[in-house]
């Protein structure tokens, strides 16, 4: 019998998941394991790449077992991943030389300032589509080479490899030190600051300015083609690994946003809205990123404008873990529903500065508008509203850049289970918010990319046909009230600027 399923590995910021999908695009079985968030000091965020690899193998094994499947039942494997997070490892030992430096980590601010010099944050933008920021991989690699004993010498001898976690997982799955392939896809490469956004090749000048030897960089391939086959150690011997998409691009793919002008917004650790702009890169004038959306085999690449918000779901985790406000992230809705409004409180979670549309590394979080009236419930509500307000800012930027107003927003990710948030989101945007039946669109998109490469699915039309609406929220807020609240939000944001002085850590 031919294989009936496709496996997706979603190596995320907080966890790794393995999900087995059916031909109809529904979830057959899955497994998920969280990994440690390592905070060595304020602003630093690391993951242990060995722990991530162990977890990936484990979730693959569990997902197959739960579905009563073996690797023979799997037609192809797709990988999707937290983007930008940088892993540097030794190609001869297979050992990382340092922990992975996570996308949220801000330790590279001085490297970024130095690289920008008199030209500032826009220096590389026309070449790579991105402003200089701590968010992207290149400066993180430079930090490792500058700061880890012996790393630069090893890199110059050609002994080190760099990759986002897609490359790290793929290299390990395909054999590691024993013949593993060192490859990334165009969407991940577009987040390094090292790839030319128009030609999809590494930019040697920028790599040289960041003092990163070219030998460290993975080969750039499309998002949907066979890169190699799994080996025993990856639990899936002989199965083709045939799709890679960065998590946000994967969600865009899984949401069937194939037409120019279609968009999705994912509510996870952070929020990421991507708008398909077709086969030409569009430069943003409003604080959005130009990024590769996907490339299927030899077909022309498709681009997107992206609004990246660093902190949304992680603010809920922060209330849970750092303040102990509740046990489970979903309980935030219970508290928020106990009150009708935010009580005047606005919570701007600029924990790693502000990303889109501001790009202000000097900002830090603020909870403003406090009076003795404000209680725990108002704060829970303000934290949820922060996600919706930040999304409104990004949507406004999208509309301004594209010149067309989006008429509805497809949403996905962990936070879209929150009905209070979804209604408030529709109210603040004044557009319909639509949730699909399969909310795991990130894994789904990676599965589709892999399945299309091996002929399990025929192409984008299958993705469109399988997509189905679950629920729709329609705006019900008065215009004047919407604008009043949004104005106060903007005022709150302005209070977070200029916090970081050179002597603030
Ligand atoms: N009911 C809920 N209400 C509000 N927030 C929620 C709810 N359920 C989950 N969250 C938040 O959603 C986030 C998890 O969503 P999701 O699983 O999509 O994250 P993710 O970004 O995919 O994780 P990763 O970064 O590992 O990929 C967490 O930050 C959590 O705080
Ligand atoms: Mg995710």
């Amino acid at each position: 019998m031919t294989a009936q399923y496709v496996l997706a590995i979603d190596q995320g910021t907080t966890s790794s998941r393995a999900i087995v999908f059916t031909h109809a695009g529904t979830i057959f079985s899955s497994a998920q394991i969280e990994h440690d968030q390592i905070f060595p000091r304020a602003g630093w965020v690391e993951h242990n790449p060995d722990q991530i690899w162990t977890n990936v193998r484990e979730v693959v094994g569990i997902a197959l077992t739960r579905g009563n499947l073996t690797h023979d039942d799997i037609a192809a494997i797709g990988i999707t991943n937290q983007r930008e997070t940088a892993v540097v490892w030794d190609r001869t030992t297979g050992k990382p030389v340092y922990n992975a430096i996570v996308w949220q980590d801000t330790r590279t601010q001085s490297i970024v300032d130095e690289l920008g010099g008199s030209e500032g944050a826009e220096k590389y933008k026309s070449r790579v589509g991105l402003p200089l920021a701590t968010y992207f991989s290149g400066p993180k690699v430079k930090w490792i080479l500058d700061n880890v004993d012996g790393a630069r010498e090893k890199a110059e001898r050609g002994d080190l490899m760099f990759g986002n976690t897609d490359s790290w997982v793929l290299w390990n799955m395909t054999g590691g030190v024993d013949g593993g392939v060192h490859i990334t896809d165009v969407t991940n490469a577009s987040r390094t600051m090292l790839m030319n956004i128009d030609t999809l090749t590494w930019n040697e000048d920028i790599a040289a300015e960041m003092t990163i030897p070219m030998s460290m960089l993975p080969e750039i391939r499309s998002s949907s083609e066979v890169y190699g086959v799994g080996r025993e150690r990856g639990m899936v011997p002989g199965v083709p690994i045939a799709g890679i998409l960065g998590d946000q691009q994967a969600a865009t793919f899984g949401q069937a946003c194939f037409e120019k002008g279609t968009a999705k917004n994912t509510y996870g650790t952070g929020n990421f809205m991507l708008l398909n702009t077709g086969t030409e890169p569009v430069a943003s004038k409003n604080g959005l990123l130009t990024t590769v959306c996907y490339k299927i085999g030899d077909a022309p690449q498709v681009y997107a404008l992206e609004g990246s918000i660093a902190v949304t779901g992680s603010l809920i985790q922060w209330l849970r873990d750092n303040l102990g406000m509740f046990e489970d992230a979903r309980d935030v809705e219970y508290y928020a529903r106990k009150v009708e409004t935010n009580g005047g409180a606005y919570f701007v979670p600029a924990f790693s500065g502000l990303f889109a549309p501001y790009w202000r590394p000097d900002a830090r979080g603020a909870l403003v508008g406090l009076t003795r009236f404000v209680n725990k419930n108002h704060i829970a509500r303000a934290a949820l509203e922060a996600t919706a307000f930040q999304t409104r800012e990004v949507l406004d930027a999208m509309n301004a850049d594209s010149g067309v107003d989006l008429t509805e927003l497809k949403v996905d990710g962990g936070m879209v289970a929150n009905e209070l948030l979804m209604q408030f989101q529709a109210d603040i945007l004044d557009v319909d918010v639509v949730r699909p039946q399969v909310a795991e669109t990130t894994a789904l998109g990676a599965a589709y990319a892999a399945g299309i490469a091996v002929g399990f699915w025929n192409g984008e039309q299958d993705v469109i046909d399988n997509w189905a609406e679950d629920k729709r929220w329609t705006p019900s807020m008065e215009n004047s009230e919407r604008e009043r609240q949004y104005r106060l939000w903007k005022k709150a944001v302005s209070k977070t600027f200029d916090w970081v002085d050179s002597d603030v850590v």
Side-chain angles (χ1 to χ4, degrees):
M1 207 179 80
T2 52
Q4 299 293 308
Y5 304 94
V6 170
L7 171 70
I9 295 170
D10 176 0
Q11 199 307 292
T13 308
T14 48
S15 71
S16 302
R17 298 173 171 95
I19 304 187
V20 177
F21 288 97
T22 65
H23 195 261
T26 59
I27 294 176
F28 185 71
S29 63
S30 68
Q32 177 174 12
I33 302 180
E34 292 201 6
H35 51 265
D36 298 331
Q37 303 295 320
I38 304 163
F39 304 113
R41 36 177 119 160
W44 292 30
V45 190
E46 300 178 359
H47 294 154
N48 175 346
D50 286 324
Q51 184 189 27
I52 283 180
W53 168 234
T54 302
N55 289 358
V56 165
R57 297 179 64 208
E58 203 166 330
V59 290
V60 169
I62 298 170
L64 291 177
T65 308
R66 283 184 181 156
N68 199 19
L69 304 172
T70 73
H71 54 87
D72 289 331
D73 298 303
I74 304 299
I77 299 166
I79 298 174
T80 178
N81 60 299
Q82 51 170 324
R83 309 168 301 171
E84 301 97 12
T85 297
V87 188
V88 175
W89 70 97
D90 187 319
R91 70 171 81 230
T92 53
T93 64
K95 285 284 161 204
V97 300
Y98 191 77
N99 274 338
I101 302 185
V102 178
W103 57 273
Q104 300 140 322
D105 190 296
T106 56
R107 80 183 67 185
T108 53
Q109 190 60 51
S110 58
I111 293 179
V112 161
D113 292 341
E114 217 169 278
L115 284 165
S118 58
E119 290 163 81
E122 305 278 288
K123 182 171 176 187
Y124 302 125
K125 198 165 167 224
S126 63
R127 285 176 275 172
V128 302
L130 311 169
L132 257 166
T134 60
Y135 181 23
F136 307 109
S137 317
K140 299 182 198 289
V141 178
K142 176 168 165 49
W143 189 93
I144 291 175
L145 297 182
D146 288 348
N147 290 279
V148 176
D149 262 358
R152 182 164 299 284
E153 294 71 42
K154 276 189 189 164
E156 278 162 7
R157 280 203 306 270
D159 287 344
L160 297 189
M161 291 173 157
F162 150 74
N164 292 148
T165 61
D166 61 319
S167 300
W168 170 242
V169 169
L170 177 68
W171 185 78
N172 276 293
M173 293 202 68
T174 55
V177 291
D178 185 15
V181 297
H182 189 209
I183 286 172
T184 191
D185 90 306
V186 290
T187 66
N188 275 288
S190 79
R191 316 297 294 189
T192 58
M193 295 211 81
L194 298 168
M195 189 188 78
N196 294 306
I197 193 73
D198 49 354
T199 59
L200 311 187
T201 53
W202 296 123
N203 185 305
E204 299 199 18
D205 297 337
I206 299 177
E209 283 179 43
M210 294 193 190
T211 65
I212 299 171
M214 296 301 295
S215 60
M216 290 182 76
L217 303 181
E219 188 184 335
I220 303 174
R221 299 276 197 89
S222 80
S223 317
S224 176
E225 63 177 74
V226 177
Y227 313 108
V229 294
R231 299 273 290 271
E232 290 293 341
R233 63 203 298 269
M235 318 293 289
V236 279
V239 182
I241 303 169
I244 302 178
L245 285 162
D247 54 6
Q248 301 310 323
Q249 285 87 344
T252 312
F253 206 88
Q255 287 269 32
C257 296
F258 300 118
E259 270 191 49
K260 192 172 163 175
T262 51
K264 68 88 205 182
N265 195 26
T266 300
Y267 298 67
T269 302
N271 259 37
F272 300 86
M273 193 188 297
L274 268 75
L275 172 75
N276 181 324
T277 60
T279 51
E280 295 297 326
V282 174
S284 174
K285 294 189 177 66
N286 295 282
L288 304 175
L289 309 177
T290 305
T291 201
V292 182
C293 194
Y294 58 87
K295 175 173 165 65
I296 302 178
D298 295 331
Q301 64 266 28
V302 171
Y303 290 93
L305 277 170
E306 172 174 322
S308 327
I309 304 168
V311 179
T312 57
S314 55
L315 175 58
I316 309 305
Q317 288 177 326
W318 184 87
L319 294 179
R320 182 193 67 187
D321 301 338
N322 295 36
L323 300 191
M325 267 177 66
F326 35 76
E327 294 273 302
D328 194 301
R330 77 172 75 104
D331 298 337
V332 68
E333 185 167 358
Y334 166 81
Y335 292 105
R337 278 195 190 279
K338 287 189 174 190
V339 286
E340 292 287 311
T341 70
N342 59 21
Y346 289 80
F347 197 158
V348 186
F351 294 164
S352 30
L354 286 167
F355 284 14
Y358 298 102
W359 300 103
R360 291 288 298 248
D362 58 309
R364 283 299 178 268
L367 179 51
V368 302
L370 298 183
T371 59
R372 280 200 73 178
F373 175 69
V374 171
N375 62 33
K376 174 178 176 178
N377 307 322
H378 297 113
I379 291 173
R381 198 169 180 112
L384 286 175
E385 290 183 358
T387 294
F389 287 126
Q390 292 185 96
T391 297
R392 163 80 188 262
E393 293 181 316
V394 163
L395 188 83
D396 285 356
M398 292 264 172
N399 288 344
D401 268 343
S402 68
V404 211
D405 284 0
L406 217 67
T407 51
E408 64 170 40
L409 187 64
K410 285 178 167 176
V411 300
D412 54 71
M415 290 185 97
V416 304
N418 194 307
E419 306 251 344
L420 181 136
L421 170 61
M422 291 298 102
Q423 181 58 51
F424 188 74
Q425 185 69 86
D427 287 342
I428 285 299
L429 295 180
D430 199 22
V431 299
D432 280 13
V433 168
V434 185
R435 183 172 74 192
Q437 281 176 9
V438 178
E440 290 279 2
T441 50
T442 300
L444 181 60
Y448 279 132
I452 288 171
V454 300
F456 183 82
W457 286 294
N458 291 323
E460 292 100 308
Q461 192 57 47
D462 282 340
V463 184
I464 295 166
D465 294 344
N466 284 345
W467 191 94
E469 182 171 321
D470 170 44
K471 187 156 180 184
R472 174 179 293 264
W473 289 268
T474 302
S476 65
M477 188 182 268
E478 290 284 336
N479 232 338
S480 55
E481 178 58 8
R482 170 169 34 250
E483 293 318 314
R484 185 187 74 85
Q485 292 199 29
Y486 190 44
R487 176 177 54 81
L488 287 168
W489 166 261
K490 293 256 194 200
K491 198 196 292 204
V493 169
S494 72
K495 308 288 179 201
T496 70
F497 295 158
D498 293 320
W499 182 257
V500 179
D501 298 326
S502 56
D503 58 350
V504 170
V505 285

